[in-house]
Amino acid sequence: MNFLSITRLAVAAVAFAIASAGANAATGLSSARSTNEPISPTSVSYRSVSVDGLNIFYREAGPKNAPTLLLLHGFPTSSQMFRNLIPLLADRYRVIAPDYPGFGQSDMPSQEKFKYSFDSLAEVIDKFTVAVGAKNFALYLQDYGAPIGYRIAVAHPERISAIIVQNGNAYDEGLDNEFWTPIKTYWKNKSEANAAKLRPLFEPAATKWQYTEGMRDVSHVSPDAWTVDQAYMDRPGNKDIQLELFYSYGTNPGHYPAWQAYFRKYQPPMLIVWGKNDKIFPPAGATPYLRDLPKAELHLLDTGHFALEEDSVVIAKLMRGFLQRQLKAGKPPKASDRGNSGAN
Protein backbone atom coordinates (compact mmCIF):
# COMPACT_ATOMS: atom_id res chain seq x y z
CA MET A 1 0.00 0.00 0.00
CA ASN A 2 1.48 3.37 -0.99
CA PHE A 3 1.59 6.53 1.16
CA LEU A 4 -1.36 8.14 -0.65
CA SER A 5 -3.54 5.12 0.09
CA ILE A 6 -2.49 5.18 3.75
CA THR A 7 -3.27 8.87 3.99
CA ARG A 8 -6.71 8.37 2.43
CA LEU A 9 -7.42 5.59 4.91
CA ALA A 10 -6.24 7.84 7.75
CA VAL A 11 -8.55 10.65 6.68
CA ALA A 12 -11.46 8.24 6.45
CA ALA A 13 -10.63 6.92 9.91
CA VAL A 14 -10.66 10.44 11.34
CA ALA A 15 -14.06 11.11 9.78
CA PHE A 16 -15.44 7.88 11.21
CA ALA A 17 -13.97 8.66 14.65
CA ILE A 18 -15.53 12.11 14.68
CA ALA A 19 -18.93 10.66 13.80
CA SER A 20 -18.49 8.10 16.57
CA ALA A 21 -17.62 10.87 19.01
CA GLY A 22 -20.99 12.47 18.39
CA ALA A 23 -22.71 9.19 19.18
CA ASN A 24 -20.60 8.70 22.29
CA ALA A 25 -21.44 12.23 23.41
CA ALA A 26 -25.15 11.53 23.07
CA THR A 27 -24.97 8.38 25.19
CA GLY A 28 -22.66 9.70 27.88
CA LEU A 29 -23.67 13.31 28.17
CA SER A 30 -26.25 12.90 30.92
CA SER A 31 -23.42 12.22 33.37
CA ALA A 32 -21.44 15.24 32.11
CA ARG A 33 -24.20 17.81 32.55
CA SER A 34 -26.25 19.30 35.36
CA THR A 35 -29.76 18.04 35.99
CA ASN A 36 -32.29 19.41 33.48
CA GLU A 37 -29.58 21.34 31.63
CA PRO A 38 -30.50 21.21 27.92
CA ILE A 39 -28.12 19.89 25.31
CA SER A 40 -27.75 21.64 21.97
CA PRO A 41 -26.24 20.00 18.90
CA THR A 42 -22.69 21.06 18.15
CA SER A 43 -20.70 20.71 14.97
CA VAL A 44 -16.96 20.76 14.50
CA SER A 45 -15.38 22.93 11.82
CA TYR A 46 -12.04 22.04 10.24
CA ARG A 47 -10.05 25.15 9.43
CA SER A 48 -6.58 26.40 8.69
CA VAL A 49 -4.77 29.69 9.17
CA SER A 50 -1.39 30.95 8.02
CA VAL A 51 1.20 31.57 10.75
CA ASP A 52 4.61 32.79 9.55
CA GLY A 53 3.91 31.20 6.19
CA LEU A 54 2.92 27.85 7.69
CA ASN A 55 -0.52 26.35 7.19
CA ILE A 56 -1.76 25.50 10.70
CA PHE A 57 -4.78 23.20 10.79
CA TYR A 58 -7.23 23.30 13.67
CA ARG A 59 -10.58 21.98 14.85
CA GLU A 60 -13.08 24.47 16.22
CA ALA A 61 -16.52 24.22 17.74
CA GLY A 62 -18.82 26.15 20.02
CA PRO A 63 -20.22 29.65 20.42
CA LYS A 64 -17.91 32.33 19.08
CA ASN A 65 -18.56 34.60 22.08
CA ALA A 66 -18.10 31.93 24.75
CA PRO A 67 -15.02 31.45 26.96
CA THR A 68 -12.27 29.85 24.90
CA LEU A 69 -10.55 26.52 25.53
CA LEU A 70 -7.25 25.86 23.75
CA LEU A 71 -6.53 22.13 23.53
CA LEU A 72 -2.85 21.23 22.98
CA HIS A 73 -2.08 17.68 21.96
CA GLY A 74 0.79 15.33 22.71
CA PHE A 75 3.10 12.94 20.87
CA PRO A 76 2.68 11.18 18.49
CA THR A 77 -0.83 12.40 17.86
CA SER A 78 -2.57 15.58 16.71
CA SER A 79 -5.82 17.41 17.41
CA GLN A 80 -7.57 14.14 16.58
CA MET A 81 -6.88 13.05 20.17
CA PHE A 82 -9.66 15.49 21.18
CA ARG A 83 -12.29 14.11 18.80
CA ASN A 84 -14.34 12.64 21.69
CA LEU A 85 -13.88 15.56 24.08
CA ILE A 86 -14.82 18.49 21.83
CA PRO A 87 -18.54 17.60 21.45
CA LEU A 88 -18.83 17.29 25.25
CA LEU A 89 -17.70 20.88 25.80
CA ALA A 90 -18.66 22.87 22.73
CA ASP A 91 -22.24 23.65 23.75
CA ARG A 92 -20.84 26.08 26.32
CA TYR A 93 -17.28 26.91 25.27
CA ARG A 94 -15.43 27.94 22.14
CA VAL A 95 -13.09 24.98 21.73
CA ILE A 96 -10.00 25.25 19.53
CA ALA A 97 -7.51 22.42 18.92
CA PRO A 98 -4.57 23.05 16.55
CA ASP A 99 -2.03 20.68 15.03
CA TYR A 100 1.60 21.71 15.52
CA PRO A 101 3.94 22.01 12.51
CA GLY A 102 4.97 18.47 11.58
CA PHE A 103 1.84 16.95 13.12
CA GLY A 104 -1.55 16.02 11.74
CA GLN A 105 -2.84 18.21 8.93
CA SER A 106 -0.55 21.19 9.56
CA ASP A 107 2.39 21.86 7.27
CA MET A 108 5.48 19.72 7.72
CA PRO A 109 8.38 21.84 6.45
CA SER A 110 11.81 20.25 6.21
CA GLN A 111 14.30 20.71 9.02
CA GLU A 112 16.26 22.99 6.72
CA LYS A 113 13.29 25.37 6.56
CA PHE A 114 11.95 25.11 10.13
CA LYS A 115 13.66 24.52 13.45
CA TYR A 116 11.79 21.75 15.22
CA SER A 117 12.13 22.72 18.87
CA PHE A 118 9.71 23.36 21.69
CA ASP A 119 10.60 27.03 21.58
CA SER A 120 9.59 27.13 17.90
CA LEU A 121 6.37 25.17 18.40
CA ALA A 122 5.36 27.43 21.28
CA GLU A 123 6.07 30.52 19.18
CA VAL A 124 3.90 29.22 16.35
CA ILE A 125 1.01 28.31 18.64
CA ASP A 126 1.30 31.65 20.45
CA LYS A 127 0.94 33.46 17.12
CA PHE A 128 -1.84 31.04 16.16
CA THR A 129 -3.94 32.16 19.13
CA VAL A 130 -3.65 35.74 17.93
CA ALA A 131 -4.56 34.74 14.36
CA VAL A 132 -7.79 33.06 15.50
CA GLY A 133 -8.75 35.82 17.89
CA ALA A 134 -8.25 33.89 21.13
CA LYS A 135 -7.36 36.78 23.44
CA ASN A 136 -7.92 34.88 26.70
CA PHE A 137 -8.28 31.15 27.11
CA ALA A 138 -8.12 28.12 29.34
CA LEU A 139 -5.45 25.59 28.41
CA TYR A 140 -5.82 21.81 28.14
CA LEU A 141 -2.31 20.37 28.15
CA GLN A 142 -1.26 16.78 27.49
CA ASP A 143 2.25 15.42 26.96
CA TYR A 144 3.96 17.78 24.44
CA GLY A 145 1.15 20.24 25.04
CA ALA A 146 2.54 20.97 28.52
CA PRO A 147 5.94 22.43 27.55
CA ILE A 148 4.29 24.32 24.68
CA GLY A 149 1.44 25.67 26.80
CA TYR A 150 3.59 26.58 29.79
CA ARG A 151 5.92 28.62 27.59
CA ILE A 152 2.88 30.58 26.39
CA ALA A 153 1.52 30.95 29.93
CA VAL A 154 4.80 32.32 31.28
CA ALA A 155 5.03 34.78 28.37
CA HIS A 156 1.38 35.90 28.70
CA PRO A 157 0.08 35.14 32.20
CA GLU A 158 -2.70 37.69 31.77
CA ARG A 159 -4.19 35.64 28.92
CA ILE A 160 -4.57 32.37 30.82
CA SER A 161 -7.91 31.91 32.58
CA ALA A 162 -7.36 28.34 33.81
CA ILE A 163 -5.28 25.22 33.13
CA ILE A 164 -6.33 21.60 32.76
CA VAL A 165 -3.29 19.32 32.70
CA GLN A 166 -3.57 15.66 31.75
CA ASN A 167 -0.36 13.63 31.86
CA GLY A 168 1.77 16.67 31.08
CA ASN A 169 4.97 17.26 33.03
CA ALA A 170 6.49 20.29 34.76
CA TYR A 171 8.58 18.62 37.51
CA ASP A 172 11.78 16.57 37.61
CA GLU A 173 9.97 13.77 39.44
CA GLY A 174 7.85 13.16 36.34
CA LEU A 175 10.89 12.17 34.29
CA ASP A 176 12.48 9.90 36.88
CA ASN A 177 11.44 6.60 35.36
CA GLU A 178 12.65 3.89 33.00
CA PHE A 179 10.98 5.27 29.86
CA TRP A 180 13.15 8.40 29.93
CA THR A 181 16.53 6.70 30.49
CA PRO A 182 17.53 6.27 26.79
CA ILE A 183 16.09 9.70 25.94
CA LYS A 184 18.19 11.36 28.65
CA THR A 185 21.23 9.54 27.27
CA TYR A 186 20.47 11.05 23.85
CA TRP A 187 20.23 14.52 25.40
CA LYS A 188 23.76 14.08 26.74
CA ASN A 189 25.19 12.57 23.56
CA LYS A 190 23.37 13.15 20.28
CA SER A 191 25.04 10.23 18.53
CA GLU A 192 23.56 7.94 15.91
CA ALA A 193 24.11 5.00 18.25
CA ASN A 194 21.92 6.64 20.89
CA ALA A 195 19.42 7.76 18.26
CA ALA A 196 19.08 4.16 17.06
CA LYS A 197 17.79 3.16 20.49
CA LEU A 198 14.96 5.69 20.17
CA ARG A 199 13.84 5.01 16.61
CA PRO A 200 11.66 2.01 17.60
CA LEU A 201 9.45 4.53 19.46
CA PHE A 202 8.31 5.82 16.06
CA GLU A 203 7.09 2.42 14.85
CA PRO A 204 3.56 0.94 14.96
CA ALA A 205 4.08 -1.28 18.01
CA ALA A 206 5.19 1.68 20.14
CA THR A 207 2.38 3.92 18.90
CA LYS A 208 -0.18 1.25 19.75
CA TRP A 209 1.49 0.69 23.13
CA GLN A 210 1.00 4.34 24.08
CA TYR A 211 -2.74 3.94 23.52
CA THR A 212 -3.23 0.54 25.14
CA GLU A 213 -0.78 0.32 28.04
CA GLY A 214 -2.49 0.88 31.36
CA MET A 215 -6.03 0.98 29.99
CA ARG A 216 -8.78 -0.73 31.99
CA ASP A 217 -10.36 -2.20 28.87
CA VAL A 218 -8.52 -2.03 25.55
CA SER A 219 -11.78 -2.71 23.73
CA HIS A 220 -12.77 0.88 24.60
CA VAL A 221 -9.79 2.27 22.67
CA SER A 222 -10.47 2.79 18.97
CA PRO A 223 -7.78 1.33 16.68
CA ASP A 224 -8.41 4.37 14.48
CA ALA A 225 -6.42 6.44 16.98
CA TRP A 226 -3.04 4.75 16.62
CA THR A 227 -3.62 3.92 12.95
CA VAL A 228 -4.13 7.60 12.09
CA ASP A 229 -1.16 8.69 14.20
CA GLN A 230 1.10 6.12 12.57
CA ALA A 231 0.03 7.17 9.09
CA TYR A 232 1.21 10.71 9.82
CA MET A 233 4.37 9.38 11.47
CA ASP A 234 5.22 7.32 8.38
CA ARG A 235 5.35 10.36 6.09
CA PRO A 236 8.80 10.72 4.52
CA GLY A 237 11.03 12.72 6.85
CA ASN A 238 8.64 12.79 9.81
CA LYS A 239 10.49 10.30 11.98
CA ASP A 240 13.64 12.41 11.74
CA ILE A 241 11.55 15.43 12.77
CA GLN A 242 10.19 13.52 15.77
CA LEU A 243 13.70 12.44 16.73
CA GLU A 244 14.78 16.09 16.70
CA LEU A 245 11.87 16.94 18.99
CA PHE A 246 12.93 14.14 21.35
CA TYR A 247 16.30 15.88 21.55
CA SER A 248 14.66 19.28 22.03
CA TYR A 249 12.58 17.89 24.90
CA GLY A 250 15.83 17.97 26.84
CA THR A 251 15.51 21.76 27.02
CA ASN A 252 12.26 21.54 28.97
CA PRO A 253 13.59 20.59 32.44
CA GLY A 254 15.64 23.78 32.39
CA HIS A 255 12.35 25.71 32.19
CA TYR A 256 10.73 23.89 35.12
CA PRO A 257 11.85 26.44 37.77
CA ALA A 258 10.34 29.30 35.72
CA TRP A 259 7.09 27.40 35.20
CA GLN A 260 6.88 26.57 38.89
CA ALA A 261 7.57 30.21 39.78
CA TYR A 262 4.69 31.16 37.45
CA PHE A 263 2.40 28.75 39.31
CA ARG A 264 3.37 30.18 42.69
CA LYS A 265 3.08 33.83 41.65
CA TYR A 266 -0.11 33.76 39.58
CA GLN A 267 -1.90 30.75 41.10
CA PRO A 268 -3.76 29.90 37.88
CA PRO A 269 -6.81 27.74 38.58
CA MET A 270 -5.70 24.19 37.77
CA LEU A 271 -7.51 20.90 37.26
CA ILE A 272 -5.21 17.87 37.17
CA VAL A 273 -6.75 14.80 35.49
CA TRP A 274 -4.13 12.10 35.21
CA GLY A 275 -4.09 8.57 33.86
CA LYS A 276 -2.39 6.92 36.83
CA ASN A 277 -1.24 3.87 34.85
CA ASP A 278 0.86 5.94 32.43
CA LYS A 279 4.39 4.54 32.02
CA ILE A 280 5.64 7.76 30.36
CA PHE A 281 4.29 10.38 32.76
CA PRO A 282 3.30 8.48 35.91
CA PRO A 283 1.56 10.06 38.92
CA ALA A 284 4.97 11.05 40.31
CA GLY A 285 4.69 13.99 37.91
CA ALA A 286 1.13 14.87 38.93
CA THR A 287 1.34 15.30 42.69
CA PRO A 288 4.19 17.89 42.71
CA TYR A 289 1.84 20.46 41.18
CA LEU A 290 0.16 20.67 44.60
CA ARG A 291 3.36 22.03 46.13
CA ASP A 292 3.02 25.21 44.10
CA LEU A 293 -0.74 25.18 43.55
CA PRO A 294 -2.29 23.98 46.83
CA LYS A 295 -5.80 24.81 45.59
CA ALA A 296 -5.44 22.69 42.45
CA GLU A 297 -7.91 19.84 41.98
CA LEU A 298 -6.22 16.46 41.47
CA HIS A 299 -7.96 13.38 40.05
CA LEU A 300 -6.00 10.19 39.37
CA LEU A 301 -7.93 8.09 36.88
CA ASP A 302 -7.63 4.34 36.38
CA THR A 303 -6.41 4.59 32.80
CA GLY A 304 -3.29 5.24 30.75
CA HIS A 305 -1.38 7.91 28.82
CA PHE A 306 -4.20 8.80 26.42
CA ALA A 307 -6.86 9.02 29.12
CA LEU A 308 -9.41 10.63 26.79
CA GLU A 309 -9.71 7.39 24.83
CA GLU A 310 -11.29 5.69 27.82
CA ASP A 311 -12.49 8.50 30.08
CA SER A 312 -13.53 11.41 27.86
CA VAL A 313 -16.96 11.65 29.54
CA VAL A 314 -15.45 11.55 33.04
CA ILE A 315 -12.88 14.22 32.14
CA ALA A 316 -15.51 16.37 30.42
CA LYS A 317 -17.69 16.21 33.53
CA LEU A 318 -14.78 17.27 35.72
CA MET A 319 -13.88 20.05 33.31
CA ARG A 320 -17.40 21.41 33.10
CA GLY A 321 -17.69 21.68 36.87
CA PHE A 322 -14.20 23.15 37.23
CA LEU A 323 -14.64 25.69 34.42
CA GLN A 324 -18.11 26.65 35.63
CA ARG A 325 -16.63 27.50 39.01
CA GLN A 326 -13.54 29.24 37.66
CA LEU A 327 -14.80 31.05 34.55
CA LYS A 328 -18.28 31.92 35.82
CA ALA A 329 -19.63 31.02 32.41
CA GLY A 330 -23.25 31.26 33.52
CA LYS A 331 -25.94 30.03 31.17
CA PRO A 332 -24.99 29.01 27.64
CA PRO A 333 -25.46 31.76 25.02
CA LYS A 334 -28.74 31.85 23.17
CA ALA A 335 -29.08 29.85 19.98
CA SER A 336 -28.94 33.08 17.96
CA ASP A 337 -25.45 33.73 19.37
CA ARG A 338 -24.05 30.38 18.34
CA GLY A 339 -21.57 29.88 15.57
CA ASN A 340 -17.89 29.45 14.86
CA SER A 341 -15.23 32.05 14.26
CA GLY A 342 -11.73 31.95 12.87
CA ALA A 343 -9.81 31.94 9.64
CA ASN A 344 -10.89 29.74 6.77
Side-chain angles (χ1 to χ4, degrees):
M1 183 179 292
N2 60 30
F3 173 68
L4 182 59
S5 297
I6 293 174
T7 302
R8 286 172 176 168
L9 285 173
V11 172
V14 170
F16 176 79
I18 292 164
S20 298
N24 291 340
T27 58
L29 214 54
S30 60
S31 63
R33 302 183 58 82
S34 302
T35 304
N36 298 324
E37 184 179 344
I39 178 67
S40 299
T42 60
S43 60
V44 179
S45 295
Y46 305 92
R47 306 178 185 275
S48 63
V49 65
S50 179
V51 177
D52 288 345
L54 295 174
N55 183 66
I56 302 300
F57 171 86
Y58 63 104
R59 301 163 194 256
E60 181 179 16
K64 62 182 179 181
N65 59 342
T68 300
L69 308 182
L70 180 66
L71 313 182
L72 299 182
H73 66 80
F75 164 86
T77 188
S78 64
S79 60
Q80 74 103 7
M81 73 166 277
F82 299 114
R83 67 197 183 281
N84 296 329
L85 182 66
I86 291 173
L88 297 173
L89 300 171
D91 66 304
R92 177 159 294 200
Y93 301 99
R94 181 189 180 198
V95 187
I96 304 172
D99 294 349
Y100 315 137
F103 292 79
Q105 289 289 320
S106 287
D107 281 351
M108 189 187 76
S110 68
Q111 294 191 61
E112 290 72 29
K113 295 182 178 179
F114 181 80
K115 181 176 178 58
Y116 284 93
S117 70
F118 281 87
D119 284 343
S120 295
L121 296 184
E123 182 179 359
V124 169
I125 297 304
D126 190 359
K127 292 179 179 179
F128 164 83
T129 64
V130 175
V132 299
K135 296 179 180 179
N136 297 280
F137 45 84
L139 288 165
Y140 185 112
L141 310 175
Q142 193 264 357
D143 191 270
Y144 278 13
I148 293 170
Y150 290 142
R151 280 171 167 82
I152 295 172
V154 167
H156 308 289
E158 74 285 353
R159 300 182 64 195
I160 309 304
S161 58
I163 298 173
I164 300 95
V165 60
Q166 184 250 302
N167 298 78
N169 197 56
Y171 293 86
D172 289 333
E173 295 95 318
L175 302 182
D176 189 17
N177 60 74
E178 183 179 353
F179 177 86
W180 290 96
T181 299
I183 301 175
K184 290 179 178 179
T185 300
Y186 188 56
W187 295 345
K188 295 177 181 178
N189 181 7
K190 195 182 182 183
S191 67
E192 182 52 42
N194 288 331
K197 297 176 183 178
L198 301 180
R199 292 187 185 279
L201 294 174
F202 309 136
E203 299 304 322
T207 302
K208 181 178 180 180
W209 174 84
Q210 288 203 54
Y211 277 95
T212 57
E213 177 66 26
M215 295 294 184
R216 296 187 304 278
D217 186 347
V218 176
S219 70
H220 293 159
V221 183
S222 171
D224 297 334
W226 65 76
T227 301
V228 170
D229 287 354
Q230 192 63 43
Y232 289 129
M233 180 83 77
D234 288 339
R235 292 175 294 177
N238 192 265
K239 292 175 183 177
D240 289 334
I241 286 171
Q242 300 303 331
L243 182 63
E244 184 62 22
L245 284 173
F246 268 31
Y247 183 71
S248 178
Y249 201 96
T251 66
N252 292 328
H255 287 273
Y256 289 173
W259 299 348
Q260 293 159 19
Y262 158 77
F263 298 151
R264 290 191 297 272
K265 180 177 180 179
Y266 291 97
Q267 292 293 305
M270 179 174 284
L271 172 67
I272 307 165
V273 284
W274 206 279
K276 68 178 182 179
N277 306 324
D278 189 356
K279 295 295 195 302
I280 302 171
F281 294 118
T287 53
Y289 280 102
L290 299 178
R291 291 201 300 257
D292 298 313
L293 294 163
K295 294 182 180 179
E297 301 178 25
L298 171 62
H299 301 268
L300 298 179
L301 307 178
D302 185 18
T303 188
H305 184 68
F306 285 113
L308 288 173
E309 294 298 314
E310 198 165 35
D311 282 335
S312 59
V313 170
V314 172
I315 291 173
K317 180 179 180 180
L318 292 169
M319 287 179 65
R320 290 176 71 90
F322 168 75
L323 293 170
Q324 176 69 18
R325 292 188 296 275
Q326 300 299 335
L327 304 187
K328 311 299 183 186
K331 295 181 179 180
K334 297 178 182 179
S336 59
D337 292 333
R338 295 184 181 279
N340 293 301
S341 65
N344 291 309

